Amino acid sequence: MRSSLLPLLLLASALAVACDGRPSPTNVPATPSAAGDTRDGKGAALAGDPRRRPGYVVDSVLPTDEALHRFRAGLPDAPASFRHAAPSRATLVRRFADAVTRADTAALRALAIDRGEFAYLVYPESPYTRPPYRQAPGIVWMMLQQGSASGLRRLLRDRAERGAWRALSHGCDAEPVTEGSNRLWRNCRLQVVRAGGDTTWARLFGVIVEREGRFKFASFENDF
């Protein structure tokens, strides 16, 4: 899902370095994404406006409460907060960079919101629960997972083919999108140095969700 929880949902490292002629690590300019990000701050912020995706269907058969009740069925518990979350955005990005270096998919998945966190903490406070962006939680979660899975595959394939890289700094939009208790940091980019010495800014993950001072990724959609 590309940079926004609202219409997508649902959805790196603090070694700051100076770089001439490059975006500031605290306020990187937004760039349009191929998934069709929402930039007006009113639509979904997690992944990319689902209405622009092929096969988009509005699930208006079930009331939102009933759809959410069914989506939660079978979940072991109702989390009170994000589990295994990072205490800061920089820490989350550093853990991400370390996991990519090790090609540790289990560690990477643990950095993203899980189904229970989405069902109880993220979706209920998103615009997907009401018009004009209303969408069933199962559909939003499916799109989020698909984008995350394909993003991880591309990310790890790039690492395998081009070698590991070292994270220098990261930046997101200057202000987050607020959805209830959630703050969504969009358009995040990571400054990396590759083996050959080339330095570049790249979007290597999707929206970062902050809730009560705890940080996790909404997805791993990226520019690869």
PDB file of all heavy atoms in Angstrom, residues 50-70:
ATOM      1  N   PRO A  50      -7.719   2.710  -2.865  1.00  0.00           N
ATOM      2  CA  PRO A  50      -8.160   1.453  -3.471  1.00  0.00           C
ATOM      3  C   PRO A  50      -9.100   1.659  -4.645  1.00  0.00           C
ATOM      4  O   PRO A  50      -9.244   0.794  -5.491  1.00  0.00           O
ATOM      5  CB  PRO A  50      -8.866   0.738  -2.306  1.00  0.00           C
ATOM      6  CG  PRO A  50      -9.308   1.832  -1.406  1.00  0.00           C
ATOM      7  CD  PRO A  50      -8.219   2.876  -1.509  1.00  0.00           C
ATOM      8  N   ARG A  51      -9.740   2.822  -4.718  1.00  0.00           N
ATOM      9  CA  ARG A  51     -10.658   3.076  -5.821  1.00  0.00           C
ATOM     10  C   ARG A  51      -9.933   3.151  -7.153  1.00  0.00           C
ATOM     11  O   ARG A  51     -10.542   3.044  -8.211  1.00  0.00           O
ATOM     12  CB  ARG A  51     -11.426   4.371  -5.564  1.00  0.00           C
ATOM     13  CG  ARG A  51     -12.323   4.320  -4.328  1.00  0.00           C
ATOM     14  CD  ARG A  51     -12.858   5.691  -3.987  1.00  0.00           C
ATOM     15  NE  ARG A  51     -11.773   6.629  -3.758  1.00  0.00           N
ATOM     16  CZ  ARG A  51     -11.949   7.936  -3.663  1.00  0.00           C
ATOM     17  NH1 ARG A  51     -13.149   8.461  -3.802  1.00  0.00           N
ATOM     18  NH2 ARG A  51     -10.925   8.734  -3.430  1.00  0.00           N
ATOM     19  N   ARG A  52      -8.624   3.338  -7.118  1.00  0.00           N
ATOM     20  CA  ARG A  52      -7.853   3.428  -8.358  1.00  0.00           C
ATOM     21  C   ARG A  52      -7.312   2.066  -8.776  1.00  0.00           C
ATOM     22  O   ARG A  52      -6.661   1.958  -9.803  1.00  0.00           O
ATOM     23  CB  ARG A  52      -6.692   4.402  -8.177  1.00  0.00           C
ATOM     24  CG  ARG A  52      -7.138   5.813  -7.829  1.00  0.00           C
ATOM     25  CD  ARG A  52      -5.956   6.741  -7.754  1.00  0.00           C
ATOM     26  NE  ARG A  52      -6.347   8.078  -7.354  1.00  0.00           N
ATOM     27  CZ  ARG A  52      -5.499   9.091  -7.244  1.00  0.00           C
ATOM     28  NH1 ARG A  52      -4.215   8.904  -7.505  1.00  0.00           N
ATOM     29  NH2 ARG A  52      -5.916  10.287  -6.862  1.00  0.00           N
ATOM     30  N   ARG A  53      -7.565   1.047  -7.968  1.00  0.00           N
ATOM     31  CA  ARG A  53      -7.028  -0.265  -8.275  1.00  0.00           C
ATOM     32  C   ARG A  53      -8.004  -1.047  -9.152  1.00  0.00           C
ATOM     33  O   ARG A  53      -9.208  -0.927  -9.007  1.00  0.00           O
ATOM     34  CB  ARG A  53      -6.753  -1.048  -6.985  1.00  0.00           C
ATOM     35  CG  ARG A  53      -5.650  -0.429  -6.142  1.00  0.00           C
ATOM     36  CD  ARG A  53      -5.566  -1.115  -4.790  1.00  0.00           C
ATOM     37  NE  ARG A  53      -4.515  -0.508  -3.970  1.00  0.00           N
ATOM     38  CZ  ARG A  53      -3.306  -1.014  -3.837  1.00  0.00           C
ATOM     39  NH1 ARG A  53      -2.982  -2.118  -4.450  1.00  0.00           N
ATOM     40  NH2 ARG A  53      -2.408  -0.410  -3.077  1.00  0.00           N
ATOM     41  N   PRO A  54      -7.475  -1.913 -10.049  1.00  0.00           N
ATOM     42  CA  PRO A  54      -8.349  -2.734 -10.894  1.00  0.00           C
ATOM     43  C   PRO A  54      -9.254  -3.604 -10.030  1.00  0.00           C
ATOM     44  O   PRO A  54      -8.819  -4.169  -9.029  1.00  0.00           O
ATOM     45  CB  PRO A  54      -7.350  -3.587 -11.695  1.00  0.00           C
ATOM     46  CG  PRO A  54      -6.090  -2.787 -11.680  1.00  0.00           C
ATOM     47  CD  PRO A  54      -6.061  -2.096 -10.350  1.00  0.00           C
ATOM     48  N   GLY A  55     -10.504  -3.720 -10.407  1.00  0.00           N
ATOM     49  CA  GLY A  55     -11.415  -4.580  -9.686  1.00  0.00           C
ATOM     50  C   GLY A  55     -11.946  -4.004  -8.407  1.00  0.00           C
ATOM     51  O   GLY A  55     -12.520  -4.721  -7.581  1.00  0.00           O
ATOM     52  N   TYR A  56     -11.777  -2.695  -8.205  1.00  0.00           N
ATOM     53  CA  TYR A  56     -12.261  -2.068  -6.967  1.00  0.00           C
ATOM     54  C   TYR A  56     -13.768  -2.268  -6.819  1.00  0.00           C
ATOM     55  O   TYR A  56     -14.536  -2.052  -7.746  1.00  0.00           O
ATOM     56  CB  TYR A  56     -11.941  -0.576  -6.989  1.00  0.00           C
ATOM     57  CG  TYR A  56     -12.619   0.193  -5.874  1.00  0.00           C
ATOM     58  CD1 TYR A  56     -12.119   0.142  -4.578  1.00  0.00           C
ATOM     59  CD2 TYR A  56     -13.758   0.955  -6.128  1.00  0.00           C
ATOM     60  CE1 TYR A  56     -12.733   0.840  -3.549  1.00  0.00           C
ATOM     61  CE2 TYR A  56     -14.377   1.654  -5.102  1.00  0.00           C
ATOM     62  CZ  TYR A  56     -13.860   1.594  -3.816  1.00  0.00           C
ATOM     63  OH  TYR A  56     -14.472   2.284  -2.805  1.00  0.00           O
ATOM     64  N   VAL A  57     -14.188  -2.719  -5.640  1.00  0.00           N
ATOM     65  CA  VAL A  57     -15.606  -2.938  -5.359  1.00  0.00           C
ATOM     66  C   VAL A  57     -15.916  -2.400  -3.975  1.00  0.00           C
ATOM     67  O   VAL A  57     -15.183  -2.665  -3.018  1.00  0.00           O
ATOM     68  CB  VAL A  57     -15.967  -4.438  -5.405  1.00  0.00           C
ATOM     69  CG1 VAL A  57     -17.431  -4.636  -5.004  1.00  0.00           C
ATOM     70  CG2 VAL A  57     -15.721  -5.011  -6.794  1.00  0.00           C
ATOM     71  N   VAL A  58     -16.971  -1.639  -3.836  1.00  0.00           N
ATOM     72  CA  VAL A  58     -17.404  -1.159  -2.532  1.00  0.00           C
ATOM     73  C   VAL A  58     -18.272  -2.226  -1.885  1.00  0.00           C
ATOM     74  O   VAL A  58     -19.270  -2.651  -2.463  1.00  0.00           O
ATOM     75  CB  VAL A  58     -18.196   0.153  -2.650  1.00  0.00           C
ATOM     76  CG1 VAL A  58     -18.723   0.575  -1.276  1.00  0.00           C
ATOM     77  CG2 VAL A  58     -17.314   1.245  -3.229  1.00  0.00           C
ATOM     78  N   ASP A  59     -17.883  -2.688  -0.698  1.00  0.00           N
ATOM     79  CA  ASP A  59     -18.664  -3.704   0.006  1.00  0.00           C
ATOM     80  C   ASP A  59     -19.703  -3.002   0.869  1.00  0.00           C
ATOM     81  O   ASP A  59     -19.428  -2.576   1.976  1.00  0.00           O
ATOM     82  CB  ASP A  59     -17.731  -4.548   0.875  1.00  0.00           C
ATOM     83  CG  ASP A  59     -18.468  -5.696   1.548  1.00  0.00           C
ATOM     84  OD1 ASP A  59     -19.703  -5.740   1.458  1.00  0.00           O
ATOM     85  OD2 ASP A  59     -17.788  -6.540   2.155  1.00  0.00           O
ATOM     86  N   SER A  60     -20.903  -2.859   0.327  1.00  0.00           N
ATOM     87  CA  SER A  60     -21.946  -2.129   1.038  1.00  0.00           C
ATOM     88  C   SER A  60     -23.045  -3.055   1.540  1.00  0.00           C
ATOM     89  O   SER A  60     -24.103  -2.607   1.971  1.00  0.00           O
ATOM     90  CB  SER A  60     -22.547  -1.063   0.115  1.00  0.00           C
ATOM     91  OG  SER A  60     -23.069  -1.675  -1.048  1.00  0.00           O
ATOM     92  N   VAL A  61     -22.825  -4.366   1.470  1.00  0.00           N
ATOM     93  CA  VAL A  61     -23.854  -5.314   1.862  1.00  0.00           C
ATOM     94  C   VAL A  61     -24.016  -5.341   3.373  1.00  0.00           C
ATOM     95  O   VAL A  61     -25.125  -5.280   3.895  1.00  0.00           O
ATOM     96  CB  VAL A  61     -23.524  -6.720   1.329  1.00  0.00           C
ATOM     97  CG1 VAL A  61     -24.568  -7.716   1.813  1.00  0.00           C
ATOM     98  CG2 VAL A  61     -23.452  -6.712  -0.187  1.00  0.00           C
ATOM     99  N   LEU A  62     -22.916  -5.439   4.081  1.00  0.00           N
ATOM    100  CA  LEU A  62     -22.952  -5.539   5.532  1.00  0.00           C
ATOM    101  C   LEU A  62     -22.694  -4.182   6.180  1.00  0.00           C
ATOM    102  O   LEU A  62     -21.853  -3.416   5.704  1.00  0.00           O
ATOM    103  CB  LEU A  62     -21.894  -6.529   6.030  1.00  0.00           C
ATOM    104  CG  LEU A  62     -22.075  -7.991   5.646  1.00  0.00           C
ATOM    105  CD1 LEU A  62     -20.872  -8.796   6.113  1.00  0.00           C
ATOM    106  CD2 LEU A  62     -23.353  -8.559   6.237  1.00  0.00           C
ATOM    107  N   PRO A  63     -23.366  -3.880   7.284  1.00  0.00           N
ATOM    108  CA  PRO A  63     -23.028  -2.675   8.042  1.00  0.00           C
ATOM    109  C   PRO A  63     -21.583  -2.777   8.527  1.00  0.00           C
ATOM    110  O   PRO A  63     -21.062  -3.876   8.728  1.00  0.00           O
ATOM    111  CB  PRO A  63     -24.014  -2.714   9.213  1.00  0.00           C
ATOM    112  CG  PRO A  63     -25.130  -3.592   8.754  1.00  0.00           C
ATOM    113  CD  PRO A  63     -24.495  -4.619   7.859  1.00  0.00           C
ATOM    114  N   THR A  64     -20.950  -1.646   8.725  1.00  0.00           N
ATOM    115  CA  THR A  64     -19.545  -1.642   9.130  1.00  0.00           C
ATOM    116  C   THR A  64     -19.322  -2.429  10.407  1.00  0.00           C
ATOM    117  O   THR A  64     -18.359  -3.209  10.510  1.00  0.00           O
ATOM    118  CB  THR A  64     -19.054  -0.196   9.319  1.00  0.00           C
ATOM    119  OG1 THR A  64     -19.173   0.501   8.079  1.00  0.00           O
ATOM    120  CG2 THR A  64     -17.603  -0.177   9.770  1.00  0.00           C
ATOM    121  N   ASP A  65     -20.195  -2.258  11.402  1.00  0.00           N
ATOM    122  CA  ASP A  65     -20.020  -2.971  12.677  1.00  0.00           C
ATOM    123  C   ASP A  65     -20.058  -4.481  12.491  1.00  0.00           C
ATOM    124  O   ASP A  65     -19.265  -5.209  13.105  1.00  0.00           O
ATOM    125  CB  ASP A  65     -21.108  -2.546  13.667  1.00  0.00           C
ATOM    126  CG  ASP A  65     -20.921  -1.130  14.177  1.00  0.00           C
ATOM    127  OD1 ASP A  65     -19.833  -0.559  13.936  1.00  0.00           O
ATOM    128  OD2 ASP A  65     -21.838  -0.589  14.802  1.00  0.00           O
ATOM    129  N   GLU A  66     -20.972  -4.953  11.650  1.00  0.00           N
ATOM    130  CA  GLU A  66     -21.078  -6.401  11.434  1.00  0.00           C
ATOM    131  C   GLU A  66     -19.874  -6.919  10.647  1.00  0.00           C
ATOM    132  O   GLU A  66     -19.339  -7.998  10.939  1.00  0.00           O
ATOM    133  CB  GLU A  66     -22.365  -6.726  10.680  1.00  0.00           C
ATOM    134  CG  GLU A  66     -22.538  -8.201  10.344  1.00  0.00           C
ATOM    135  CD  GLU A  66     -22.559  -9.116  11.564  1.00  0.00           C
ATOM    136  OE1 GLU A  66     -22.864  -8.624  12.688  1.00  0.00           O
ATOM    137  OE2 GLU A  66     -22.285 -10.326  11.403  1.00  0.00           O
ATOM    138  N   ALA A  67     -19.442  -6.159   9.641  1.00  0.00           N
ATOM    139  CA  ALA A  67     -18.270  -6.566   8.860  1.00  0.00           C
ATOM    140  C   ALA A  67     -17.037  -6.648   9.759  1.00  0.00           C
ATOM    141  O   ALA A  67     -16.224  -7.578   9.647  1.00  0.00           O
ATOM    142  CB  ALA A  67     -18.033  -5.579   7.719  1.00  0.00           C
ATOM    143  N   LEU A  68     -16.898  -5.684  10.670  1.00  0.00           N
ATOM    144  CA  LEU A  68     -15.753  -5.688  11.576  1.00  0.00           C
ATOM    145  C   LEU A  68     -15.859  -6.842  12.570  1.00  0.00           C
ATOM    146  O   LEU A  68     -14.852  -7.485  12.903  1.00  0.00           O
ATOM    147  CB  LEU A  68     -15.673  -4.347  12.313  1.00  0.00           C
ATOM    148  CG  LEU A  68     -14.462  -4.141  13.232  1.00  0.00           C
ATOM    149  CD1 LEU A  68     -13.166  -4.350  12.462  1.00  0.00           C
ATOM    150  CD2 LEU A  68     -14.503  -2.736  13.825  1.00  0.00           C
ATOM    151  N   HIS A  69     -17.073  -7.119  13.054  1.00  0.00           N
ATOM    152  CA  HIS A  69     -17.280  -8.243  13.972  1.00  0.00           C
ATOM    153  C   HIS A  69     -16.839  -9.548  13.319  1.00  0.00           C
ATOM    154  O   HIS A  69     -16.165 -10.385  13.947  1.00  0.00           O
ATOM    155  CB  HIS A  69     -18.755  -8.316  14.366  1.00  0.00           C
ATOM    156  CG  HIS A  69     -19.101  -9.533  15.167  1.00  0.00           C
ATOM    157  ND1 HIS A  69     -18.736  -9.690  16.487  1.00  0.00           N
ATOM    158  CD2 HIS A  69     -19.777 -10.680  14.822  1.00  0.00           C
ATOM    159  CE1 HIS A  69     -19.167 -10.861  16.935  1.00  0.00           C
ATOM    160  NE2 HIS A  69     -19.789 -11.474  15.945  1.00  0.00           N
ATOM    161  N   ARG A  70     -17.205  -9.748  12.072  1.00  0.00           N
ATOM    162  CA  ARG A  70     -16.831 -10.972  11.361  1.00  0.00           C
ATOM    163  C   ARG A  70     -15.336 -11.030  11.104  1.00  0.00           C
ATOM    164  O   ARG A  70     -14.724 -12.099  11.170  1.00  0.00           O
ATOM    165  CB  ARG A  70     -17.601 -11.062  10.042  1.00  0.00           C
ATOM    166  CG  ARG A  70     -19.106 -11.181  10.230  1.00  0.00           C
ATOM    167  CD  ARG A  70     -19.810 -11.437   8.908  1.00  0.00           C
ATOM    168  NE  ARG A  70     -21.263 -11.495   9.085  1.00  0.00           N
ATOM    169  CZ  ARG A  70     -22.104 -11.931   8.155  1.00  0.00           C
ATOM    170  NH1 ARG A  70     -21.650 -12.338   6.975  1.00  0.00           N
ATOM    171  NH2 ARG A  70     -23.412 -11.940   8.383  1.00  0.00           N
TER     172      ARG A  70
END
